[in-house]
Amino acid sequence: MTCHFIGLFEEEKLIGIVLTQFLFAEKLESFGERDKCLKTSVRNFALKNFASHVLFVGNNMLTGQNAFIFDKTIKESKAIKTLHKAINQLKKELKESGKKVHITSIKDFTAKEIEPLQAEFKNNYTFSTQPNMVFEINKNWKTEQDYIDALSKKYRDQYKRARKKSEGIVKQQMSLSDIKQYEDVIYDLYFHVAKNAPFNTFFLARNHFSFFKEIMGENFLLYGYFIDKKLIGFNTLIKNGDVMDTYFLGYDESVQREKMLYLNMLYDMIAYSIKKGFKEIVFARTALEIKSSVGAKPVKMYGLITHSNALINHNISRFFNYLEPKTEWQERNPFK
């Protein structure tokens, strides 16, 4: 992955910033190993040969609008037109250095946020993937107990059962030196979960978590879960103003099943965010049903995509729907 920051200027004044990530996806050993079938093989072949150089405008490692921000005094349509020119210039420079962009994708936007982009990027296909699971924190909740009291009996029982199962697990917020000490175990736990996902466009570097902690300090939290001093799982959080972004996690599969570890992690994230006065938690777009069972709601997200090959671009809606893994799930409502 190669990252670029783009500055948009009016005269000498910086009026907008944009984040892009250029992925060399052919370097991946796997795009996802969970679904072993012919469709997966065809998908992997197609991705490797026609879609492996991907330019994301936005942050492919987080869910939500993390692509750009403009000065409020600037006309949005003008800023987006300038953004379009900047993306074309970046693609030209990448091509000149021998890195042709196959696919350009601008992501992740709500239905309202995507409209001005659709008006400017007319030859792009608008796609929608799995929803972003967002947990709104009731402004009257001050403690975890307030959350528990708001649950219906069925989901209070689920909470109690999960907490009982987690007996014997010790949870610890890990400092930079702790993260460095356990770096290899953390990575192995992360990689086990990541490679079993239905679809991947990247794998993190081994030192990713210590690097983040070093740069972000108290705005990046990593919690380790231990049994008899052995690290068996971890999760990470990013403080983003009054929003809590959940980040990557990992766990030992055998312990996760027996101890309902993943569910307990979700409850822990909710408890911490309530206690610290956050307004919402972005739970992102995996494990939709279990996140729904703790109170997260789906928010439909959209992006724009275009291919450098005119024939493929003309049929991109068909290709996209074929290549994008579909997930069937049932929405839950755990509250009274």
Side-chain angles (χ1 to χ4, degrees), residues 131-293:
N132 183 13
M133 299 302 288
V134 177
F135 184 96
E136 297 282 346
I137 296 174
N138 186 314
K139 62 179 186 297
N140 298 319
W141 296 345
K142 304 299 175 204
T143 65
E144 184 181 15
Q145 191 58 48
D146 294 331
Y147 163 70
I148 299 162
D149 292 344
L151 296 171
S152 65
K153 184 182 182 306
K154 177 183 172 182
Y155 290 96
R156 262 202 321 278
D157 289 346
Q158 173 182 281
Y159 175 90
K160 288 175 191 165
R161 189 166 68 252
R163 290 312 203 193
K164 189 160 180 55
K165 288 265 191 185
S166 73
E167 284 171 8
I169 294 177
V170 176
K171 178 184 149 205
Q172 177 193 327
Q173 187 180 152
M174 298 176 79
S175 65
L176 176 59
S177 59
D178 294 331
I179 295 169
K180 284 183 171 174
Q181 183 189 337
Y182 286 95
E183 193 114 68
D184 287 340
V185 186
I186 289 169
Y187 189 81
D188 290 345
L189 292 168
Y190 149 75
F191 192 73
H192 166 76
V193 173
K195 76 177 172 52
N196 286 303
F199 188 60
N200 286 302
T201 52
F202 62 86
F203 289 108
L204 301 176
R206 195 165 278 273
N207 69 338
H208 183 83
F209 298 106
S210 60
F211 185 76
F212 256 51
K213 187 65 180 170
E214 216 157 341
I215 298 243
M216 297 185 72
E218 283 310 301
N219 288 322
F220 178 72
L221 305 173
L222 190 149
Y223 285 94
Y225 290 75
F226 295 82
I227 292 179
D228 298 330
K229 298 190 177 172
K230 182 192 174 192
L231 184 65
I232 48 91
F234 76 93
N235 65 49
T236 50
L237 297 165
I238 294 173
K239 297 176 184 176
N240 186 4
D242 56 12
V243 174
M244 183 65 87
D245 277 317
T246 63
Y247 201 47
F248 293 94
L249 55 75
Y251 47 71
D252 178 319
E253 184 63 50
S254 60
V255 179
Q256 129 66 12
R257 284 172 184 275
E258 182 197 337
K259 295 285 191 180
M260 296 173 78
L261 184 57
Y262 184 74
L263 186 55
N264 276 295
M265 286 180 180
L266 296 180
Y267 288 135
D268 288 342
M269 292 170 184
I270 291 167
Y272 180 86
S273 302
I274 293 170
K275 184 180 160 192
K276 295 295 181 182
F278 285 86
K279 288 188 176 169
E280 67 177 35
I281 307 167
V282 175
F283 275 129
R285 52 164 62 98
T286 55
L288 307 177
E289 200 156 321
I290 193 168
K291 287 170 181 171
S292 177
S293 82

Side-chain angles (χ1 to χ4, degrees), residues 13-44:
K13 188 187 174 192
L14 181 69
I15 55 97
I17 51 170
V18 185
L19 169 72
T20 73
Q21 296 174 331
F22 184 49
L23 264 61
F24 298 91
E26 82 266 21
K27 296 190 187 297
L28 288 178
E29 289 169 34
S30 156
F31 289 98
E33 294 178 4
R34 196 188 69 183
D35 308 328
K36 291 184 166 56
C37 60
L38 178 64
K39 182 175 174 179
T40 305
S41 306
V42 171
R43 185 186 77 193
N44 287 354

